[in-house]
Every structure is written in structure tokens, then in C-alpha cells.
Amino acid sequence: LDLSWNAIRGVGAAALGLALVDNRTLRRLNLAWNGVGGSKAFDVWAGVFEKNVVLEELDLSHNSLDERNTIVIAENVRTNEVMTNLQLSDNPLGPIGAKLMFKLMDAFGADRKLVFENCNFDAKSKHCPIDPADIQGDFSLDLSQPYERACAKALVRIAGKNIADQWQNCRLNGSPFNVKNFDGSSESMPESGILSACYYKLIQRKAAHDV
């Protein structure tokens, strides 16, 4: 399906994303030269990348995708083996996006195609208050919000098998939560609740630096 050059953005882009979550027939979608990114409305697309089981090829080049949008994409599509061709070229992915794209290349491997040519890796997003690679100390994330849940998934991925050492006093909705439930993988991330913890090792490093 070719929907390129249709000025799809904002509310329309969100509605399309929600519809695609339950898509069971569409295998190829060209959305190049629209405006689906650049705002919080794109957050609902997390479900497209995490849950869609038939969409194999998606072209989102020239869509104003920013750092926030890239977090939503990267942390959800990495475990979706159905999507084998993802085009993200000519978007302002920013510094966070640059880091995520090269990590995502490893997850995609040789069997899946990820293209992000001519992207602006200097552009900072106005809608991206969290850099998962730079969280210091205490954090609290609302897992019912797709962007914050994607950040939580990134934190699990970054910690890997060392998560029990790096996350201290982890709680879900105020109750103690055993981070070993993740086992180094974010696939078991709850879809709701307030997840909070303290990045203990980062605090130690900062304290040593201050001394």
C-alpha cells in the first residue's frame, strides 16, 4: 500500500498507528514523505512495532521522526522478527537516535534490512525528556505510556544480565518488584503500572567522580 506524499500527521498519524496494531493483512506500507513523526502522537506506534505480526516492510523516510520517536521504534521493533525491511532515512533522529540505530543494526542482523541514510544526528527533540543511556539515580516510569515503557525497555536492555546489581529498590506500583523477572530481556515488561528504581552503579560512579 502506497500512502506516500499524503500529509499524514498528528491525529491522523495516531489513528493510522492504532489501526495497524491489529492489522492482519497488510504486508507492505510506504509512508514516505508524510509527517507521522515529530510529536507525542507517534507514541501509539509502539504497538505497531511490538505487536503487528504481518507487516514486513515499512517506509518511514522523510517523516520528521525525532529522538522520542526513535526510542519508541527501536525498543519495540528489535524483537519483531516479522518486520524485515524498515526505512528511516532522511529523518532528524538526533544524538539519541544515532546511538539506537547502531545498536538496532546488531539486533536486526544480516537477515533484516534497516536503512537510515542522510539522517540528522545533531537535532535535539523538544519532546524527549529521557535519554535511557544517561539516566542517573532514581527514575519513575509510567508503563501505560508507550514512550515511557519504551524507555523502561531500553533500561532493561542496557543493564542486561547485570540488572539485579544496577537496579536497586525496584518497585511496581509501590510494591517490591524482582528485576530478575526480566532475565536480561524486556519482552516481559508489564504494560501498565508505575515502575521505579535507582540506578545504583551510576550513583557510585558519580560519587567517586565528585571525590
Side-chain angles (χ1 to χ4, degrees):
L1 178 64
D2 188 351
L3 292 178
S4 60
W5 293 95
N6 269 290
I8 300 172
R9 64 190 72 240
V11 175
L16 177 59
L18 288 172
L20 286 172
V21 172
D22 297 320
N23 163 53
R24 293 295 180 271
T25 56
L26 187 63
R27 297 185 180 278
R28 297 174 182 82
L29 178 59
N30 181 3
L31 283 170
W33 293 97
N34 280 286
V36 301
S39 74
K40 299 177 182 179
F42 185 81
D43 288 0
V44 299
W45 280 70
V48 178
F49 297 103
E50 181 182 32
K51 300 177 179 179
N52 187 288
V53 295
V54 295
L55 188 62
E56 300 172 358
E57 299 181 13
L58 178 61
D59 190 342
L60 289 174
S61 55
H62 293 279
N63 264 282
S64 301
L65 296 171
D66 61 14
E67 292 177 303
R68 181 188 183 105
N69 307 148
T70 310
I71 292 173
V72 169
I73 294 170
E75 298 305 330
N76 287 290
V77 77
R78 65 175 49 249
T79 56
N80 183 344
E81 297 183 357
V82 174
M83 190 169 292
T84 56
N85 188 334
L86 180 59
Q87 304 283 331
L88 300 174
S89 296
D90 296 282
N91 282 295
L93 304 183
I96 294 176
K99 292 181 288 187
L100 288 172
M101 285 300 100
F102 288 104
K103 291 291 184 181
L104 189 57
M105 283 180 66
D106 292 336
F108 264 46
D111 296 331
R112 295 193 286 170
K113 186 176 183 180
L114 174 67
V115 182
F116 50 97
E117 298 175 347
N118 303 316
C119 289
N120 183 342
F121 292 126
D122 295 316
K124 298 289 291 183
S125 170
K126 298 182 294 183
H127 311 289
C128 190
I130 303 170
D131 180 353
D134 195 38
I135 281 187
Q136 302 272 346
D138 295 331
F139 68 85
S140 179
L141 298 168
D142 185 349
L143 301 183
S144 68
Q145 302 300 312
Y147 162 66
E148 295 193 27
R149 185 168 179 266
C151 289
K153 294 175 79 169
L155 291 173
V156 171
R157 173 181 56 78
I158 292 168
K161 295 293 185 179
N162 298 318
I163 191 169
D165 296 325
Q166 294 189 22
W167 290 32
Q168 300 293 310
N169 194 30
C170 186
R171 294 180 175 274
L172 183 65
N173 290 329
S175 298
F177 182 79
N178 187 356
V179 294
K180 291 183 179 179
N181 292 335
F182 293 128
D183 192 31
S185 170
S186 63
E187 292 187 62
S188 59
M189 180 66 65
E191 295 192 10
S192 63
I194 304 299
L195 180 69
S196 61
C198 176
Y199 242 82
Y200 183 67
K201 283 193 173 182
L202 291 180
I203 288 179
Q204 281 189 320
R205 191 179 299 126
K206 184 177 186 298
H209 181 268
D210 289 343
V211 171

PDB file of all heavy atoms in Angstrom, residues 95 104 107 125 132-133 168 175 185 189 192 209:
ATOM      1  N   PRO A  95      20.965  12.806  18.419  1.00  0.00           N
ATOM      2  CA  PRO A  95      22.045  12.043  19.064  1.00  0.00           C
ATOM      3  C   PRO A  95      21.574  10.738  19.688  1.00  0.00           C
ATOM      4  O   PRO A  95      22.258   9.715  19.594  1.00  0.00           O
ATOM      5  CB  PRO A  95      22.556  13.013  20.141  1.00  0.00           C
ATOM      6  CG  PRO A  95      22.155  14.370  19.678  1.00  0.00           C
ATOM      7  CD  PRO A  95      20.854  14.175  18.960  1.00  0.00           C
ATOM      8  N   LEU A 104      20.542  -1.093  17.038  1.00  0.00           N
ATOM      9  CA  LEU A 104      19.477  -1.825  16.360  1.00  0.00           C
ATOM     10  C   LEU A 104      20.007  -2.620  15.176  1.00  0.00           C
ATOM     11  O   LEU A 104      19.483  -3.698  14.859  1.00  0.00           O
ATOM     12  CB  LEU A 104      18.382  -0.854  15.907  1.00  0.00           C
ATOM     13  CG  LEU A 104      17.083  -1.465  15.376  1.00  0.00           C
ATOM     14  CD1 LEU A 104      16.455  -2.382  16.425  1.00  0.00           C
ATOM     15  CD2 LEU A 104      16.100  -0.358  14.971  1.00  0.00           C
ATOM     16  N   ALA A 107      20.863  -5.948  16.366  1.00  0.00           N
ATOM     17  CA  ALA A 107      19.679  -6.778  16.629  1.00  0.00           C
ATOM     18  C   ALA A 107      19.058  -7.281  15.332  1.00  0.00           C
ATOM     19  O   ALA A 107      18.551  -8.415  15.275  1.00  0.00           O
ATOM     20  CB  ALA A 107      18.654  -5.979  17.434  1.00  0.00           C
ATOM     21  N   SER A 125      15.403  16.680  20.183  1.00  0.00           N
ATOM     22  CA  SER A 125      13.939  16.696  20.222  1.00  0.00           C
ATOM     23  C   SER A 125      13.423  17.525  21.386  1.00  0.00           C
ATOM     24  O   SER A 125      13.970  17.485  22.488  1.00  0.00           O
ATOM     25  CB  SER A 125      13.414  15.269  20.336  1.00  0.00           C
ATOM     26  OG  SER A 125      12.024  15.263  20.601  1.00  0.00           O
ATOM     27  N   PRO A 132      17.613   7.130  27.875  1.00  0.00           N
ATOM     28  CA  PRO A 132      17.814   5.916  28.671  1.00  0.00           C
ATOM     29  C   PRO A 132      19.280   5.606  28.957  1.00  0.00           C
ATOM     30  O   PRO A 132      19.591   4.993  29.982  1.00  0.00           O
ATOM     31  CB  PRO A 132      17.186   4.817  27.801  1.00  0.00           C
ATOM     32  CG  PRO A 132      16.176   5.535  26.976  1.00  0.00           C
ATOM     33  CD  PRO A 132      16.789   6.877  26.683  1.00  0.00           C
ATOM     34  N   ALA A 133      20.165   6.045  28.073  1.00  0.00           N
ATOM     35  CA  ALA A 133      21.585   5.767  28.273  1.00  0.00           C
ATOM     36  C   ALA A 133      22.233   6.726  29.262  1.00  0.00           C
ATOM     37  O   ALA A 133      23.395   6.560  29.628  1.00  0.00           O
ATOM     38  CB  ALA A 133      22.313   5.845  26.931  1.00  0.00           C
ATOM     39  N   GLN A 168      18.359  -0.867  42.008  1.00  0.00           N
ATOM     40  CA  GLN A 168      18.144  -1.046  43.437  1.00  0.00           C
ATOM     41  C   GLN A 168      16.760  -0.513  43.829  1.00  0.00           C
ATOM     42  O   GLN A 168      16.272   0.443  43.248  1.00  0.00           O
ATOM     43  CB  GLN A 168      19.232  -0.320  44.235  1.00  0.00           C
ATOM     44  CG  GLN A 168      20.649  -0.807  43.953  1.00  0.00           C
ATOM     45  CD  GLN A 168      20.886  -2.227  44.441  1.00  0.00           C
ATOM     46  OE1 GLN A 168      20.593  -2.562  45.585  1.00  0.00           O
ATOM     47  NE2 GLN A 168      21.421  -3.066  43.567  1.00  0.00           N
ATOM     48  N   SER A 175       4.955  -1.498  45.190  1.00  0.00           N
ATOM     49  CA  SER A 175       5.282  -2.780  45.806  1.00  0.00           C
ATOM     50  C   SER A 175       6.612  -3.299  45.271  1.00  0.00           C
ATOM     51  O   SER A 175       6.943  -3.074  44.098  1.00  0.00           O
ATOM     52  CB  SER A 175       4.176  -3.804  45.516  1.00  0.00           C
ATOM     53  OG  SER A 175       2.947  -3.380  46.065  1.00  0.00           O
ATOM     54  N   SER A 185      15.973  -9.495  29.562  1.00  0.00           N
ATOM     55  CA  SER A 185      15.152  -9.227  28.377  1.00  0.00           C
ATOM     56  C   SER A 185      13.940  -8.385  28.752  1.00  0.00           C
ATOM     57  O   SER A 185      13.336  -8.577  29.808  1.00  0.00           O
ATOM     58  CB  SER A 185      14.686 -10.546  27.752  1.00  0.00           C
ATOM     59  OG  SER A 185      13.721 -10.316  26.748  1.00  0.00           O
ATOM     60  N   MET A 189       8.118  -7.041  29.895  1.00  0.00           N
ATOM     61  CA  MET A 189       7.794  -5.753  30.506  1.00  0.00           C
ATOM     62  C   MET A 189       6.285  -5.601  30.683  1.00  0.00           C
ATOM     63  O   MET A 189       5.517  -5.752  29.719  1.00  0.00           O
ATOM     64  CB  MET A 189       8.329  -4.606  29.626  1.00  0.00           C
ATOM     65  CG  MET A 189       8.053  -3.209  30.169  1.00  0.00           C
ATOM     66  SD  MET A 189       8.927  -2.863  31.698  1.00  0.00           S
ATOM     67  CE  MET A 189      10.645  -2.925  31.120  1.00  0.00           C
ATOM     68  N   SER A 192       1.376  -1.871  32.118  1.00  0.00           N
ATOM     69  CA  SER A 192       0.822  -0.793  32.939  1.00  0.00           C
ATOM     70  C   SER A 192       1.517  -0.793  34.290  1.00  0.00           C
ATOM     71  O   SER A 192       2.228  -1.741  34.643  1.00  0.00           O
ATOM     72  CB  SER A 192      -0.697  -0.960  33.114  1.00  0.00           C
ATOM     73  OG  SER A 192      -0.982  -2.158  33.817  1.00  0.00           O
ATOM     74  N   HIS A 209      33.519  10.256  41.193  1.00  0.00           N
ATOM     75  CA  HIS A 209      34.000  11.357  40.365  1.00  0.00           C
ATOM     76  C   HIS A 209      34.021  12.655  41.157  1.00  0.00           C
ATOM     77  O   HIS A 209      34.957  13.460  41.053  1.00  0.00           O
ATOM     78  CB  HIS A 209      33.088  11.500  39.141  1.00  0.00           C
ATOM     79  CG  HIS A 209      33.528  12.603  38.215  1.00  0.00           C
ATOM     80  ND1 HIS A 209      33.058  13.886  38.321  1.00  0.00           N
ATOM     81  CD2 HIS A 209      34.428  12.595  37.189  1.00  0.00           C
ATOM     82  CE1 HIS A 209      33.614  14.638  37.389  1.00  0.00           C
ATOM     83  NE2 HIS A 209      34.446  13.875  36.686  1.00  0.00           N
TER      84      HIS A 209
END
